[in-house]
Amino acid sequence: MTKNITLALDEALLDQARVYAARRGTTVTALVRDYLVQVATSDDRVARARSDIKTMSGRDDFAVGNKDWRRDDLHDR
């Protein structure tokens, strides 16, 4: 279930937000909703990323492949 909220914004800011949204084919409501979703879930994303990194770093089946290059080859001008 969605709930409506009321925001108090400076008129000039609201006008700029409307133009920004219109250029992107969306609404100010959608912009605010998307931003709040990002803010509300950022801690979860960070925790998942840290967990994934920890899991990957503990794996011993990680292979990069053969090193058939030299440092100078990487910086060849």
Coordinates of all heavy atoms in Angstrom, one line a residue:
M1 N 0.8 -1.2 0.0 CA 0.0 0.0 0.0 C 0.9 1.2 0.0 O 1.8 1.3 0.8 CB -0.9 0.0 1.2 CG -1.6 1.3 1.5 SD -2.5 1.4 3.0 CE -4.1 1.2 2.3
T2 N 0.6 2.2 -0.9 CA 1.4 3.4 -0.9 C 0.7 4.5 -0.1 O -0.5 4.5 0.1 CB 1.5 3.9 -2.4 OG1 0.2 4.2 -2.9 CG2 2.3 2.9 -3.2
K3 N 1.5 5.3 0.5 CA 1.0 6.5 1.3 C 1.5 7.7 0.6 O 2.6 7.8 0.1 CB 1.6 6.4 2.7 CG 1.2 5.2 3.5 CD -0.1 5.5 4.2 CE -0.5 4.3 5.1 NZ -1.6 4.6 6.0
N4 N 0.7 8.8 0.7 CA 1.0 10.1 0.3 C 1.7 10.8 1.4 O 1.4 10.7 2.5 CB -0.2 10.9 -0.2 CG -0.8 10.3 -1.5 OD1 -0.1 9.7 -2.3 ND2 -2.1 10.5 -1.7
I5 N 2.7 11.7 1.0 CA 3.4 12.5 2.0 C 3.3 14.0 1.4 O 3.1 14.2 0.2 CB 4.8 12.1 2.3 CG1 5.7 12.2 1.0 CG2 4.8 10.7 2.8 CD1 7.2 12.0 1.3
T6 N 3.5 14.9 2.3 CA 3.6 16.3 1.8 C 5.0 16.8 2.1 O 5.6 16.6 3.1 CB 2.6 17.2 2.6 OG1 1.3 16.6 2.4 CG2 2.6 18.6 2.2
L7 N 5.6 17.5 1.1 CA 6.9 18.1 1.2 C 6.7 19.6 1.0 O 6.0 20.0 0.2 CB 7.8 17.5 0.1 CG 8.2 16.1 0.1 CD1 9.0 15.7 -1.1 CD2 8.9 15.7 1.4
A8 N 7.5 20.3 1.8 CA 7.6 21.7 1.6 C 8.9 22.1 0.9 O 10.0 21.8 1.4 CB 7.6 22.4 3.0
L9 N 8.7 22.6 -0.4 CA 9.9 22.9 -1.2 C 9.8 24.4 -1.7 O 8.7 24.9 -1.9 CB 9.9 22.0 -2.4 CG 10.0 20.5 -2.2 CD1 9.9 19.8 -3.5 CD2 11.3 20.2 -1.5
D10 N 10.9 25.0 -1.8 CA 11.0 26.3 -2.4 C 10.4 26.2 -3.8 O 10.7 25.2 -4.6 CB 12.5 26.7 -2.5 CG 12.7 28.1 -3.1 OD1 12.3 29.1 -2.5 OD2 13.2 28.1 -4.2
E11 N 9.7 27.2 -4.2 CA 9.0 27.1 -5.6 C 10.0 27.0 -6.7 O 9.8 26.3 -7.7 CB 8.2 28.4 -5.7 CG 7.3 28.3 -6.9 CD 6.3 29.5 -7.0 OE1 6.0 30.1 -5.9 OE2 5.9 29.8 -8.1
A12 N 11.2 27.7 -6.6 CA 12.2 27.6 -7.7 C 12.7 26.2 -7.7 O 13.0 25.7 -8.9 CB 13.3 28.7 -7.4
L13 N 13.0 25.6 -6.6 CA 13.5 24.2 -6.6 C 12.5 23.3 -7.2 O 12.9 22.4 -8.0 CB 13.8 23.8 -5.2 CG 14.2 22.4 -5.0 CD1 15.5 22.1 -5.8 CD2 14.4 22.0 -3.5
L14 N 11.2 23.4 -6.9 CA 10.2 22.6 -7.4 C 10.1 22.8 -9.0 O 10.0 21.8 -9.7 CB 8.8 22.9 -6.8 CG 7.7 22.0 -7.3 CD1 8.0 20.5 -7.1 CD2 6.4 22.4 -6.5
D15 N 10.2 24.0 -9.4 CA 10.2 24.2 -10.9 C 11.4 23.5 -11.6 O 11.2 22.9 -12.6 CB 10.2 25.7 -11.2 CG 8.9 26.4 -10.8 OD1 7.9 25.7 -10.7 OD2 9.0 27.7 -10.7
Q16 N 12.6 23.6 -10.9 CA 13.7 23.0 -11.5 C 13.6 21.5 -11.5 O 14.0 20.8 -12.5 CB 15.0 23.4 -10.7 CG 15.4 24.8 -10.9 CD 16.6 25.2 -10.0 OE1 16.7 24.7 -8.9 NE2 17.4 26.0 -10.5
A17 N 13.0 20.9 -10.4 CA 12.8 19.5 -10.3 C 11.8 19.0 -11.4 O 12.0 18.0 -12.0 CB 12.3 19.1 -9.0
R18 N 10.8 19.8 -11.7 CA 9.8 19.5 -12.7 C 10.4 19.4 -14.1 O 10.2 18.5 -14.9 CB 8.6 20.4 -12.7 CG 7.7 20.2 -11.5 CD 6.5 21.2 -11.6 NE 5.6 20.9 -10.5 CZ 4.9 21.9 -9.8 NH1 5.2 23.2 -10.0 NH2 4.1 21.5 -8.9
V19 N 11.3 20.4 -14.4 CA 12.0 20.5 -15.6 C 12.9 19.3 -15.8 O 12.9 18.6 -16.8 CB 12.7 21.8 -15.8 CG1 13.7 21.7 -17.0 CG2 11.8 23.0 -15.9
Y20 N 13.7 19.0 -14.7 CA 14.6 17.8 -14.7 C 13.8 16.5 -14.9 O 14.2 15.7 -15.8 CB 15.3 17.8 -13.3 CG 16.2 16.6 -13.1 CD1 17.6 16.8 -13.5 CD2 15.8 15.4 -12.6 CE1 18.5 15.8 -13.3 CE2 16.7 14.4 -12.4 CZ 18.0 14.6 -12.8 OH 18.9 13.5 -12.6
A21 N 12.7 16.4 -14.3 CA 11.9 15.2 -14.4 C 11.3 15.1 -15.8 O 11.3 14.0 -16.5 CB 10.7 15.1 -13.4
A22 N 10.8 16.2 -16.3 CA 10.2 16.2 -17.7 C 11.2 15.8 -18.7 O 10.9 15.0 -19.7 CB 9.6 17.5 -18.0
R23 N 12.4 16.3 -18.6 CA 13.5 15.9 -19.6 C 13.8 14.5 -19.6 O 14.3 13.9 -20.5 CB 14.8 16.7 -19.3 CG 14.7 18.2 -19.6 CD 15.9 18.9 -19.4 NE 15.8 20.3 -19.8 CZ 16.6 21.3 -19.3 NH1 17.5 21.0 -18.4 NH2 16.4 22.5 -19.7
R24 N 13.6 13.8 -18.4 CA 13.9 12.4 -18.3 C 12.6 11.5 -18.5 O 12.6 10.3 -18.2 CB 14.5 12.1 -17.0 CG 16.0 12.6 -17.0 CD 16.5 13.0 -15.7 NE 17.9 13.4 -15.8 CZ 18.2 14.7 -16.2 NH1 17.3 15.5 -16.5 NH2 19.5 15.0 -16.3
G25 N 11.5 12.2 -18.8 CA 10.3 11.4 -19.0 C 9.7 10.8 -17.8 O 9.1 9.7 -17.8
T26 N 9.8 11.5 -16.7 CA 9.3 11.0 -15.4 C 8.6 12.1 -14.6 O 8.4 13.1 -15.2 CB 10.5 10.3 -14.6 OG1 9.9 9.6 -13.5 CG2 11.5 11.3 -14.1
T27 N 8.4 11.8 -13.4 CA 7.7 12.8 -12.5 C 8.6 13.1 -11.3 O 9.4 12.4 -11.0 CB 6.3 12.3 -12.0 OG1 6.6 11.2 -11.2 CG2 5.4 12.0 -13.2
V28 N 8.2 14.3 -10.7 CA 8.9 14.6 -9.4 C 8.7 13.5 -8.4 O 9.6 13.1 -7.6 CB 8.5 16.0 -8.9 CG1 9.1 16.3 -7.6 CG2 8.9 17.1 -9.9
T29 N 7.4 13.0 -8.3 CA 7.1 12.0 -7.4 C 8.0 10.7 -7.6 O 8.5 10.2 -6.7 CB 5.6 11.6 -7.5 OG1 4.8 12.7 -7.2 CG2 5.3 10.4 -6.6
A30 N 8.2 10.3 -8.9 CA 9.0 9.2 -9.2 C 10.5 9.4 -8.8 O 11.1 8.5 -8.3 CB 8.9 8.8 -10.6
L31 N 10.9 10.6 -9.0 CA 12.3 11.0 -8.6 C 12.5 10.9 -7.1 O 13.5 10.3 -6.7 CB 12.7 12.4 -9.1 CG 12.8 12.7 -10.6 CD1 13.0 14.2 -10.8 CD2 13.9 11.9 -11.2
V32 N 11.6 11.4 -6.4 CA 11.7 11.4 -4.9 C 11.6 9.9 -4.4 O 12.3 9.5 -3.6 CB 10.6 12.2 -4.3 CG1 10.6 12.0 -2.8 CG2 10.8 13.7 -4.6
R33 N 10.6 9.2 -5.0 CA 10.5 7.8 -4.6 C 11.7 7.0 -4.9 O 12.2 6.2 -4.0 CB 9.3 7.1 -5.4 CG 9.0 5.7 -5.0 CD 8.0 5.0 -5.8 NE 6.8 5.8 -6.2 CZ 6.6 6.3 -7.4 NH1 7.3 5.9 -8.4 NH2 5.5 7.0 -7.6
D34 N 12.3 7.1 -6.1 CA 13.5 6.4 -6.4 C 14.7 6.8 -5.5 O 15.5 5.9 -5.1 CB 13.9 6.6 -7.9 CG 12.9 6.0 -8.9 OD1 12.1 5.2 -8.5 OD2 13.0 6.4 -10.1
Y35 N 14.8 8.0 -5.2 CA 15.9 8.5 -4.3 C 15.7 7.9 -2.9 O 16.6 7.4 -2.3 CB 15.9 10.0 -4.2 CG 16.9 10.5 -3.2 CD1 18.2 10.5 -3.5 CD2 16.5 11.0 -2.0 CE1 19.2 10.9 -2.5 CE2 17.4 11.4 -1.0 CZ 18.7 11.4 -1.3 OH 19.7 11.8 -0.4
L36 N 14.5 7.9 -2.4 CA 14.2 7.3 -1.1 C 14.5 5.8 -1.0 O 15.0 5.3 0.0 CB 12.8 7.7 -0.6 CG 12.6 9.1 -0.3 CD1 11.1 9.4 0.1 CD2 13.5 9.6 0.8
V37 N 14.2 5.1 -2.1 CA 14.5 3.7 -2.2 C 16.0 3.5 -2.1 O 16.5 2.6 -1.4 CB 13.9 3.1 -3.5 CG1 14.5 1.7 -3.7 CG2 12.4 3.0 -3.4
Q38 N 16.7 4.3 -2.8 CA 18.2 4.2 -2.8 C 18.7 4.5 -1.4 O 19.6 3.7 -0.9 CB 18.8 5.2 -3.8 CG 18.7 4.8 -5.2 CD 19.3 5.8 -6.1 OE1 19.8 6.8 -5.7 NE2 19.3 5.5 -7.4
V39 N 18.2 5.5 -0.8 CA 18.7 5.9 0.6 C 18.3 4.8 1.6 O 19.1 4.3 2.4 CB 18.1 7.2 1.0 CG1 18.3 7.5 2.5 CG2 18.7 8.3 0.2
A40 N 17.1 4.3 1.5 CA 16.6 3.3 2.5 C 17.3 1.9 2.3 O 17.4 1.2 3.3 CB 15.1 3.1 2.3
T41 N 17.8 1.6 1.1 CA 18.4 0.3 0.9 C 19.9 0.3 0.8 O 20.5 -0.7 0.6 CB 17.8 -0.4 -0.4 OG1 18.1 0.5 -1.5 CG2 16.3 -0.6 -0.3
S42 N 20.5 1.5 1.0 CA 21.9 1.6 0.8 C 22.7 0.8 1.8 O 23.7 0.1 1.4 CB 22.4 3.1 0.8 OG 22.2 3.6 2.1
D43 N 22.3 0.7 3.0 CA 23.0 -0.1 4.0 C 22.9 -1.5 3.7 O 23.9 -2.3 3.8 CB 22.4 0.1 5.4 CG 22.7 1.5 6.0 OD1 23.6 2.2 5.5 OD2 22.0 1.9 7.0
D44 N 21.8 -2.0 3.2 CA 21.6 -3.4 2.8 C 22.6 -3.7 1.6 O 23.2 -4.8 1.6 CB 20.2 -3.7 2.3 CG 19.2 -3.7 3.5 OD1 19.7 -3.8 4.7 OD2 18.0 -3.5 3.2
R45 N 22.7 -2.8 0.6 CA 23.5 -3.0 -0.5 C 25.0 -3.1 -0.1 O 25.7 -3.9 -0.6 CB 23.3 -1.9 -1.6 CG 22.0 -2.1 -2.3 CD 22.0 -1.1 -3.5 NE 22.4 0.2 -3.0 CZ 21.7 1.3 -3.2 NH1 20.6 1.3 -3.8 NH2 22.2 2.5 -2.8
V46 N 25.4 -2.2 0.8 CA 26.8 -2.2 1.3 C 27.1 -3.5 2.0 O 28.1 -4.1 1.8 CB 27.0 -0.9 2.2 CG1 28.4 -1.1 2.9 CG2 27.0 0.3 1.3
A47 N 26.2 -3.9 2.9 CA 26.4 -5.1 3.6 C 26.5 -6.3 2.7 O 27.3 -7.2 2.9 CB 25.2 -5.4 4.6
R48 N 25.6 -6.4 1.7 CA 25.7 -7.5 0.7 C 27.0 -7.5 -0.1 O 27.6 -8.5 -0.3 CB 24.5 -7.5 -0.3 CG 23.2 -8.0 0.3 CD 22.2 -8.3 -0.8 NE 21.9 -7.1 -1.7 CZ 21.0 -6.2 -1.4 NH1 20.3 -6.2 -0.4 NH2 20.9 -5.2 -2.3
A49 N 27.4 -6.3 -0.5 CA 28.7 -6.2 -1.2 C 29.9 -6.6 -0.4 O 30.7 -7.4 -0.8 CB 28.9 -4.8 -1.7
R50 N 29.9 -6.2 0.9 CA 31.0 -6.6 1.8 C 30.9 -8.1 2.0 O 32.0 -8.8 2.0 CB 30.8 -5.9 3.1 CG 31.3 -4.5 3.0 CD 31.2 -3.8 4.4 NE 31.7 -2.4 4.3 CZ 31.3 -1.4 5.0 NH1 30.4 -1.6 6.0 NH2 31.8 -0.2 4.8
S51 N 29.8 -8.7 2.1 CA 29.6 -10.1 2.3 C 30.1 -10.9 1.1 O 30.8 -11.9 1.2 CB 28.2 -10.5 2.6 OG 28.0 -11.9 2.7
D52 N 29.8 -10.4 -0.1 CA 30.2 -11.0 -1.4 C 31.7 -10.9 -1.5 O 32.3 -11.9 -1.9 CB 29.5 -10.3 -2.6 CG 28.0 -10.6 -2.7 OD1 27.6 -11.5 -1.9 OD2 27.4 -9.9 -3.4
I53 N 32.3 -9.8 -1.2 CA 33.7 -9.7 -1.3 C 34.4 -10.6 -0.3 O 35.4 -11.3 -0.6 CB 34.2 -8.2 -1.0 CG1 33.7 -7.3 -2.1 CG2 35.7 -8.1 -0.7 CD1 33.9 -5.8 -1.9
K54 N 33.9 -10.7 0.9 CA 34.5 -11.6 1.9 C 34.4 -13.1 1.4 O 35.3 -13.8 1.6 CB 33.8 -11.5 3.3 CG 34.4 -12.2 4.4 CD 33.7 -11.9 5.7 CE 34.3 -12.7 6.8 NZ 33.6 -12.5 8.1
T55 N 33.2 -13.4 0.9 CA 33.0 -14.8 0.3 C 34.0 -15.1 -0.8 O 34.7 -16.1 -0.8 CB 31.6 -15.0 -0.2 OG1 30.7 -14.8 0.9 CG2 31.4 -16.3 -0.7
M56 N 34.1 -14.1 -1.7 CA 35.0 -14.3 -2.9 C 36.5 -14.4 -2.4 O 37.3 -15.2 -3.0 CB 34.9 -13.2 -3.9 CG 33.6 -13.3 -4.7 SD 33.4 -12.1 -6.0 CE 33.2 -10.6 -5.1
S57 N 36.9 -13.6 -1.4 CA 38.3 -13.6 -1.0 C 38.6 -14.9 -0.3 O 39.8 -15.2 -0.3 CB 38.6 -12.4 -0.1 OG 37.9 -12.5 1.1
G58 N 37.7 -15.6 0.2 CA 38.0 -16.8 0.9 C 38.0 -18.0 0.0 O 38.3 -19.1 0.5
R59 N 37.6 -17.8 -1.2 CA 37.5 -19.0 -2.1 C 38.9 -19.3 -2.7 O 39.7 -18.4 -2.9 CB 36.6 -18.7 -3.3 CG 35.2 -18.6 -2.9 CD 34.3 -18.1 -4.0 NE 34.5 -18.9 -5.2 CZ 33.9 -18.6 -6.4 NH1 33.1 -17.6 -6.4 NH2 34.1 -19.4 -7.4
D60 N 39.2 -20.5 -2.8 CA 40.5 -20.9 -3.3 C 40.5 -21.4 -4.8 O 41.5 -21.7 -5.4 CB 41.2 -22.0 -2.5 CG 40.3 -23.3 -2.4 OD1 39.2 -23.3 -3.0 OD2 40.8 -24.2 -1.8
D61 N 39.3 -21.3 -5.4 CA 39.2 -21.7 -6.8 C 39.1 -20.5 -7.7 O 38.8 -20.7 -8.9 CB 37.9 -22.6 -7.0 CG 36.6 -21.8 -6.7 OD1 36.7 -20.7 -6.0 OD2 35.5 -22.3 -7.1
F62 N 39.5 -19.4 -7.2 CA 39.6 -18.2 -8.1 C 40.8 -18.2 -8.9 O 41.9 -18.4 -8.5 CB 39.6 -16.9 -7.2 CG 39.6 -15.7 -8.0 CD1 38.4 -15.2 -8.6 CD2 40.7 -14.9 -8.1 CE1 38.4 -14.0 -9.3 CE2 40.7 -13.7 -8.8 CZ 39.5 -13.3 -9.4
A63 N 40.6 -18.1 -10.2 CA 41.7 -18.2 -11.2 C 41.7 -16.9 -12.1 O 40.7 -16.6 -12.6 CB 41.7 -19.4 -12.0
V64 N 42.9 -16.3 -12.3 CA 43.0 -15.2 -13.1 C 43.4 -15.6 -14.5 O 43.0 -15.0 -15.5 CB 44.0 -14.2 -12.5 CG1 44.2 -13.0 -13.5 CG2 43.6 -13.7 -11.2
G65 N 44.1 -16.7 -14.6 CA 44.6 -17.1 -15.9 C 46.1 -17.0 -16.0 O 46.8 -16.6 -15.1
N66 N 46.6 -17.3 -17.2 CA 48.1 -17.2 -17.4 C 48.5 -15.7 -17.5 O 47.8 -15.0 -18.2 CB 48.5 -18.0 -18.6 CG 48.3 -19.4 -18.5 OD1 48.3 -20.0 -17.4 ND2 48.1 -20.1 -19.6
K67 N 49.6 -15.4 -16.9 CA 50.2 -14.1 -17.1 C 51.2 -14.2 -18.2 O 52.3 -14.7 -18.1 CB 50.9 -13.7 -15.8 CG 51.5 -12.3 -15.9 CD 52.3 -12.0 -14.7 CE 53.2 -10.8 -15.0 NZ 54.4 -10.7 -14.2
D68 N 50.7 -13.8 -19.4 CA 51.6 -13.8 -20.6 C 51.9 -12.4 -21.1 O 52.2 -12.2 -22.3 CB 51.0 -14.7 -21.7 CG 49.6 -14.1 -22.1 OD1 49.1 -13.2 -21.5 OD2 49.0 -14.7 -23.0
W69 N 51.9 -11.5 -20.2 CA 52.3 -10.1 -20.5 C 53.3 -9.6 -19.6 O 53.6 -10.1 -18.5 CB 51.0 -9.2 -20.5 CG 50.2 -9.4 -19.2 CD1 49.2 -10.2 -19.0 CD2 50.5 -8.8 -17.9 NE1 48.7 -10.2 -17.8 CE2 49.5 -9.3 -17.0 CE3 51.4 -7.9 -17.4 CZ2 49.4 -8.9 -15.7 CZ3 51.3 -7.5 -16.1 CH2 50.3 -8.0 -15.3
R70 N 54.0 -8.6 -20.1 CA 55.0 -7.9 -19.2 C 54.5 -6.5 -18.9 O 53.6 -5.9 -19.6 CB 56.3 -7.7 -20.0 CG 57.0 -9.0 -20.4 CD 58.2 -8.8 -21.1 NE 58.1 -7.5 -21.9 CZ 58.5 -7.4 -23.1 NH1 59.2 -8.3 -23.7 NH2 58.3 -6.2 -23.8
R71 N 55.0 -5.9 -17.8 CA 54.6 -4.6 -17.4 C 54.7 -3.6 -18.5 O 53.9 -2.8 -18.8 CB 55.4 -4.2 -16.2 CG 55.0 -2.8 -15.7 CD 55.8 -2.4 -14.5 NE 55.4 -1.1 -13.9 CZ 55.7 0.0 -14.4 NH1 56.5 0.1 -15.5 NH2 55.3 1.1 -13.9
D72 N 55.8 -3.7 -19.2 CA 56.1 -2.8 -20.3 C 55.0 -2.9 -21.5 O 54.7 -1.9 -22.1 CB 57.5 -3.0 -20.9 CG 58.6 -2.6 -20.0 OD1 58.3 -1.8 -19.1 OD2 59.7 -3.0 -20.2
D73 N 54.5 -4.1 -21.7 CA 53.5 -4.3 -22.7 C 52.2 -3.5 -22.3 O 51.5 -3.0 -23.1 CB 53.1 -5.8 -22.8 CG 54.3 -6.6 -23.4 OD1 55.1 -6.0 -24.0 OD2 54.3 -7.8 -23.1
L74 N 51.9 -3.4 -21.0 CA 50.7 -2.7 -20.5 C 50.8 -1.2 -20.8 O 49.8 -0.5 -20.9 CB 50.5 -3.0 -19.1 CG 50.2 -4.5 -18.7 CD1 50.0 -4.6 -17.2 CD2 48.9 -5.0 -19.4
H75 N 52.0 -0.7 -20.7 CA 52.3 0.7 -20.8 C 52.9 1.1 -22.2 O 53.5 2.2 -22.3 CB 53.1 1.2 -19.7 CG 52.5 0.9 -18.3 ND1 51.5 1.7 -17.8 CD2 52.7 -0.1 -17.4 CE1 51.1 1.2 -16.7 NE2 51.8 0.1 -16.4
D76 N 52.7 0.2 -23.1 CA 53.3 0.5 -24.5 C 52.6 1.7 -25.1 O 51.4 1.8 -25.1 CB 53.1 -0.7 -25.4 CG 53.9 -0.6 -26.7 OD1 54.9 0.2 -26.7 OD2 53.4 -1.2 -27.7
R77 N 53.4 2.7 -25.5 CA 52.9 3.9 -26.1 C 53.2 3.8 -27.6 O 53.1 4.3 -28.4 CB 53.6 5.1 -25.5 CG 53.1 5.3 -24.0 CD 53.7 6.6 -23.5 NE 53.2 7.0 -22.2 CZ 53.4 6.4 -21.0 NH1 54.0 5.2 -21.0 NH2 52.9 6.9 -19.9

